[in-house]
């Protein structure tokens, strides 16, 4: 039988890669703590109706759908937002607002696999429910900034737009919601000509074309041009004011590099306000994205509830870190190996291992009964940083031999000094 492979688009994460992933997820968790988000765990499998209701064709067509043995139509979650909206209309219905919920885990989309595009991938997801204030949009962007900053990522740029501006123009000129969604899907793919062809009203087409043409590096200028363009469009005007307010809050409270792009749209259908994605210059794919979705919870049968959120693509964040060769990657602590020189020293060696673990050092113990040379070779192959060699002579003097496996140097240290050295 040929050796089994992983399913196309799905990966095993091993060794250093696995550790970088879990460290990155831990940083997301730290960010959640810093911003007061509470962690929730939701199932990987949800009812198809829930997942497909408001997600948009782009994702709807790429879901892993199956019938369970009870003949229910279910699917693997393609994102967290629908599950969180379900929670807000059920178990968390009566919780005081704002609700700030954080999750990490794998999500599934039948995308065409390539670098940074998988069918199973990891997200860290943040949802802020119950506030329609620009401060809430700002917090979501600030926390994304904090997360990436903590990882040491450089030169990332926020691309920001506002769905309310585009929808405000379209609805003012009588474009129905279904066509609006079809237009936005095409704009998301930068197929502007195809998007414009879906509009009957010439005035509306001209306005949208002018919006697409606005390209300024200075956000003040972009907002000014937008304000002039939508002067007669009441809802779009309010949306532009909201965009300006959020950007003012963001830029006044942090050093953030951002581009405002009026024609920016996202594949997901539920957005109603600010939307954003994050990029680094070396990668063409977004490492995170999100936005405001004030009508999703209502569409799921809950009370009208404002909400804004984002998800970071952890696989892509890790690629971004690797692309920039971030210090964070070399800071992965791989621990030490404790090796007794003889059978009779096992207990002493185990005690030393315990003492180091009690002080937070990651310790492996030589478990195969190998001779010293082989044991050191093995510790080196595993990428451990140090070997602690427990020998009789040194032990009598309260010492051990510490071998730096990278520099290939060794010193004799008092056991009492060990922890300080290894920390
Ligand atoms: P999204 O833009 O679909 O948003 O996904 C968020 C991030 O997941 C992307 O920016 C990207 O980094 C990563 N990602 C997407 N597809 C793939 C893939 N095939 N392989 C690897 N990474 C991928 C959402 O999922 C929304 N639920 C975000 C949100 C939360 N909006 C409001 N609340």
């Amino acid at each position: 039988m040929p050796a089994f492979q992983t399913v196309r688009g799905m990966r095993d994460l091993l060794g250093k890669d696995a550790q970088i992933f879990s460290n990155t997820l831990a940083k997301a968790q730290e960010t959640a703590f810093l911003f007061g988000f509470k962690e929730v765990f939701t199932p990987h499998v949800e009812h198809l109706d829930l997942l497909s209701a408001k997600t948009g064709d782009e994702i709807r067509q790429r879901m892993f759908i199956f019938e369970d043995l009870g003949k229910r139509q279910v699917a693997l979650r393609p994102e967290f937002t629908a599950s969180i909206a379900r929670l807000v209309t059920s178990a968390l219905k009566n919780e005081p607002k704002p609700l700030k919920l954080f999750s990490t885990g794998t999500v599934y989309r039948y995308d065409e696999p390539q670098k940074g595009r998988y069918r199973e991938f990891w997200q860290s997801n943040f949802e802020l429910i119950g506030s329609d204030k620009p401060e809430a949009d700002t917090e979501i962007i600030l926390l994304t900034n904090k997360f990436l900053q903590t990882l040491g990522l450089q030169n990332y740029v926020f691309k920001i737009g506002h769905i309310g501006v585009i929808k405000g123009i379209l609805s003012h000129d009588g474009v129905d919601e279904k066509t609006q969604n079809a237009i936005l899907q095409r704009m998301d793919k930068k197929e502007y000509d195809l998007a414009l062809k879906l509009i009957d009203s010439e005035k509306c087409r001209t306005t949208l074309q002018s919006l697409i043409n606005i390209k300024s590096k200075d956000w003040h200028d972009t907002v000014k041009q937008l304000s002039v363009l939508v002067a007669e469009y009441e809802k779009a005007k309010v949306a532009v004011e909201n965009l300006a307010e959020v950007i003012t809050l963001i830029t006044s409270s942090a050093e953030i590099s951002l581009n405002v792009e009026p024609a920016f749209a996202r594949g997901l259908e539920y957005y109603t306000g600010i939307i954003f994605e994050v990029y680094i210059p070396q990668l063409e794919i977004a490492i995170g994205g999100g936005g405001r979705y004030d009508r999703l919870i209502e569409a799921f049968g809950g009370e009208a509830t404002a909400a804004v959120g984002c998800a970071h693509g952890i696989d892509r964040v890790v690629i971004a870190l690797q692309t920039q060769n971030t210090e964070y990657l070399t800071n992965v602590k791989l621990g030490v190996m404790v090796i007794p020189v003889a059978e009779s020293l096992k207990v002493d060696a185990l005690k030393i291992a315990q003492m180091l673990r009690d002080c937070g050092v990651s310790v492996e113990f030589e478990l195969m009964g190998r001779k010293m040379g082989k044991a050191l070779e093995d510790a080196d192959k595993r990428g451990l940083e140090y070997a602690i060699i427990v020998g009789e002579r040194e032990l009598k003097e309260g010492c051990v031999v510490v071998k730096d496996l990278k520099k290939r140097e060794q010193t004799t240290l008092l056991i009492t000094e060990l922890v300080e050295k290894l920390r």
Side-chain angles (χ1 to χ4, degrees):
M1 198 194 271
F4 287 117
Q5 305 284 326
T6 57
V7 171
R8 187 163 147 76
M10 313 222 173
R11 300 180 301 159
D12 297 314
L13 291 166
L14 310 171
K16 199 170 174 194
D17 287 340
Q19 200 167 354
I20 291 168
F21 255 74
S22 75
N23 287 358
T24 308
L25 290 165
K27 291 280 183 214
Q29 209 157 19
E30 240 171 68
T31 311
F33 169 75
L34 290 177
F35 283 77
F37 281 66
K38 302 285 176 278
E39 190 155 18
V40 290
F41 297 90
T42 56
H44 282 73
V45 177
E46 294 269 13
H47 288 289
L48 175 61
D49 290 350
L50 172 93
L51 296 177
S52 62
K54 286 283 162 194
T55 183
D57 280 344
E58 174 77 11
I59 289 184
R60 215 175 278 133
Q61 286 160 8
R62 293 168 193 266
M63 272 198 277
F64 284 80
I65 299 169
F66 57 101
E67 190 181 85
D68 73 6
L69 292 178
K71 303 235 171 290
R72 295 172 199 93
Q73 282 290 305
V74 294
L76 295 179
R77 62 185 180 198
E79 54 151 358
F80 287 94
T81 310
S83 305
I84 301 299
R86 172 182 57 69
L87 271 184
V88 176
T89 61
S90 54
L92 301 178
K93 197 164 142 188
N94 298 320
E95 288 293 304
K97 307 288 186 298
L99 259 176
K100 297 195 274 179
L101 304 174
F102 160 73
S103 307
T104 55
T106 48
V107 296
Y108 301 83
R109 296 180 194 173
Y110 205 81
D111 280 336
E112 195 45 42
Q114 51 192 278
K115 188 178 175 196
R117 200 177 294 282
Y118 310 102
R119 290 183 178 167
E120 177 187 68
F121 56 96
W122 287 79
Q123 285 189 340
S124 59
N125 188 82
F126 296 75
E127 308 291 355
L128 199 167
I129 317 279
S131 168
D132 61 0
K133 298 276 179 285
E135 300 84 287
D137 306 76
T138 305
E139 282 275 272
I140 288 292
I141 289 178
L142 290 182
L143 77 80
T144 298
N145 181 53
K146 182 80 190 166
F147 172 51
L148 299 176
Q149 204 177 45
T150 316
L151 292 169
L153 202 67
Q154 309 266 324
N155 302 327
Y156 52 88
V157 179
F158 284 79
K159 173 158 103 177
I160 300 188
H162 200 299
I163 286 295
V165 179
I166 305 174
K167 283 194 163 182
I169 295 170
L170 296 173
S171 56
H172 182 272
D173 287 336
V175 179
D176 64 65
E177 186 136 358
K178 196 160 167 250
T179 314
Q180 286 186 25
N181 286 332
I183 292 168
L184 288 167
Q185 295 285 338
R186 281 164 185 76
M187 290 178 71
D188 172 42
K189 296 200 180 96
K190 299 198 165 57
E191 298 169 350
Y192 299 122
D193 288 345
L194 293 178
L196 290 165
K197 274 195 187 129
L198 296 174
I199 305 172
D200 293 331
S201 147
E202 191 173 342
K203 174 174 164 256
C204 185
R205 254 199 323 270
T206 313
T207 311
L208 197 64
Q209 179 68 72
S210 308
L211 175 138
I212 293 166
N213 291 345
I214 298 177
K215 286 188 178 82
S216 169
K217 289 220 175 312
D218 173 11
W219 72 262
H220 292 95
D221 187 40
T222 306
V223 168
K224 208 186 268 172
Q225 290 191 53
L226 267 178
S227 306
V228 174
L229 181 70
V230 302
E232 284 174 33
Y233 294 81
E234 214 34 64
K235 282 189 185 154
K237 218 169 103 183
V238 174
V240 173
E241 283 161 15
N242 175 250
L243 175 68
E245 197 173 353
V246 174
I247 299 171
T248 306
L249 282 177
I250 297 168
T251 49
S252 318
S253 46
E255 285 277 323
I256 291 187
S257 167
L258 53 86
N259 282 332
V260 178
E261 296 190 17
F264 168 42
R266 278 173 44 76
L268 291 150
E269 223 161 65
Y270 46 64
Y271 292 117
T272 54
I274 288 283
I275 48 166
F276 73 93
E277 280 176 357
V278 190
Y279 291 86
I280 58 158
Q282 299 92 335
L283 267 187
E284 279 180 7
I285 42 182
I287 56 177
R292 174 165 286 284
Y293 54 100
D294 285 348
R295 289 206 287 274
L296 185 64
I297 291 158
E298 201 179 347
F300 284 178
E303 282 173 25
T305 309
V308 55
C310 67
H312 312 127
I314 299 299
D315 307 70
R316 294 186 186 177
V317 168
V318 168
I319 293 174
L321 292 166
Q322 285 162 341
T323 308
Q324 295 189 350
N325 219 354
T326 324
E327 200 185 313
Y328 171 72
L329 300 175
T330 49
N331 272 346
V332 173
K333 284 260 173 282
L334 287 169
V336 306
M337 172 75 83
V338 173
I339 312 169
V341 168
E343 281 280 311
S344 56
L345 298 167
K346 257 195 243 175
V347 171
D348 292 296
L350 280 167
K351 280 187 188 159
I352 291 170
Q354 282 309 105
M355 175 205 78
L356 290 173
R357 286 175 183 140
D358 288 346
C359 298
V361 179
S362 164
V363 180
E364 291 196 43
F365 194 81
E366 165 52 40
L367 296 171
M368 307 295 278
R370 280 179 277 231
K371 293 252 175 325
M372 187 53 61
K374 288 270 176 225
L376 286 172
E377 211 177 285
D378 173 67
D380 193 23
K381 265 194 210 143
R382 285 160 187 271
L384 296 174
E385 287 180 284
Y386 295 100
I388 314 291
I389 301 166
V390 182
E392 196 161 7
R393 193 158 33 93
E394 290 82 10
L395 209 53
K396 275 193 188 132
E397 285 153 25
C399 295
V400 286
V401 174
V402 178
K403 189 170 173 98
D404 184 324
L405 295 166
K406 301 276 170 288
K407 294 190 189 145
R408 309 213 169 265
E409 293 166 0
Q410 68 178 52
T411 45
T412 303
L413 274 186
L414 278 168
I415 295 171
T416 48
E417 290 170 357
L418 249 188
V419 173
E420 216 33 61
K421 162 86 179 157
L422 297 177
R423 272 223 191 106

